[in-house]
Amino acid sequence: MLLDEDPATLIHHTIGNFNIHPDKSAVLRINESLSTLQQARELRIKEVESVLKKLSRNLQTLTSQHSETISSHSSTSHASQIVELDTQKFRIAKAASDLEIEGEKLQTELEFAKAQLRELEIQGVQGNEMERSRRESEDPVVLKLKVYRSLGIDTEPDAAGNYTKAVIRNRQKGDVHVVNIEPKFSRFFYADYFWRGL
């Protein structure tokens, strides 16, 4: 069969009619994606290998620690520790029981003190008739000494019977102060000093 045109020209025109640029672009994109995936895969493999090495080291450390623990374990020391812990447990239980008994005792004392307080509140500031008459019959000096003593202050008289020395006891701090009372200082000064000492 004879062709009207030269075959080379026909082939050249046929090749020119094919549009291969999109295919070439697609192949280039595929190659780039494959390269990116390959790099990501290699990076991921390196990370996994690093984690695997770290876990292997941890496993070796824990295995050696486990072996040392098993080799150093002694059943007799374990038994003695159990006995010691049991002893401590019984001591703690006894202390708790003692504290509970002490708490009940303090509760009873608190109830008694509340009852006394209620009775005193009923009597008022002046107290009942017998108490009031007893107070009125007492010496004012004795009453002052009782008030001082109730506050933790003891006074000591000198040879002439004058109270020239006071001993201040602070029960909260456990302190004791001895104060010489001299006439050159006012009563207000000593009262203020005593209150600060309490």
Side-chain angles (χ1 to χ4, degrees):
M1 176 178 166
L2 297 174
L3 299 172
D4 295 335
E5 294 184 19
D6 184 30
T9 305
L10 288 173
I11 291 171
H12 181 70
H13 285 303
T14 303
I15 291 172
N17 288 332
F18 286 113
N19 186 9
I20 61 172
H21 293 294
D23 295 334
K24 288 170 71 176
S25 299
V27 169
L28 286 174
R29 286 196 303 273
I30 290 170
N31 285 336
E32 289 176 359
S33 298
L34 287 174
S35 175
T36 304
L37 288 173
Q38 181 67 23
Q39 291 175 358
R41 183 174 177 272
E42 290 175 356
L43 183 62
R44 179 63 180 158
I45 289 172
K46 288 180 180 178
E47 291 176 356
V48 171
E49 287 177 349
S50 174
V51 171
L52 180 61
K53 288 178 181 177
K54 184 178 179 181
L55 290 174
S56 298
R57 287 194 299 270
N58 288 342
L59 177 62
Q60 290 177 355
T61 304
L62 292 173
T63 303
S64 62
Q65 289 178 354
H66 178 67
S67 301
E68 290 176 3
T69 304
I70 290 176
S71 62
S72 65
H73 177 71
S74 173
S75 59
T76 55
S77 64
H78 182 66
S80 65
Q81 287 179 353
I82 290 177
V83 170
E84 183 180 351
L85 290 174
D86 283 342
T87 305
Q88 290 180 359
K89 180 180 74 172
F90 288 128
R91 286 179 185 163
I92 292 171
K94 185 179 183 308
S97 175
D98 293 343
L99 288 174
E100 186 176 354
I101 292 170
E102 184 67 20
E104 291 175 357
K105 179 182 173 185
L106 291 175
Q107 182 68 29
T108 305
E109 291 178 2
L110 177 63
E111 294 299 329
F112 179 71
K114 285 181 179 178
Q116 284 186 330
L117 177 63
R118 282 194 296 271
E119 184 179 344
L120 291 173
E121 286 175 349
I122 291 170
Q123 292 177 5
V125 178
Q126 298 296 326
N128 57 22
E129 291 296 329
M130 292 177 61
E131 184 67 21
R132 192 161 48 243
S133 62
R134 186 184 65 79
R135 279 201 310 271
E136 290 171 355
S137 65
E138 285 184 349
D139 185 11
V141 176
V142 174
L143 289 175
K144 287 180 183 177
L145 291 176
K146 285 184 178 179
V147 170
Y148 292 150
R149 201 167 288 125
S150 67
L151 294 174
I153 303 171
D154 289 333
T155 54
E156 298 180 3
D158 58 8
N162 297 320
Y163 294 96
T164 58
K165 188 182 290 184
V167 180
I168 304 172
R169 293 181 175 82
N170 189 328
R171 296 185 183 91
Q172 293 178 347
K173 297 180 181 177
D175 293 338
V176 176
H177 297 287
V178 178
V179 180
N180 292 321
I181 301 173
E182 300 178 7
K184 63 181 180 180
F185 295 110
S186 66
R187 291 184 178 182
F188 175 76
F189 170 79
Y190 284 113
D192 184 54
Y193 184 81
F194 290 164
W195 277 116
R196 281 188 283 112
L198 295 175

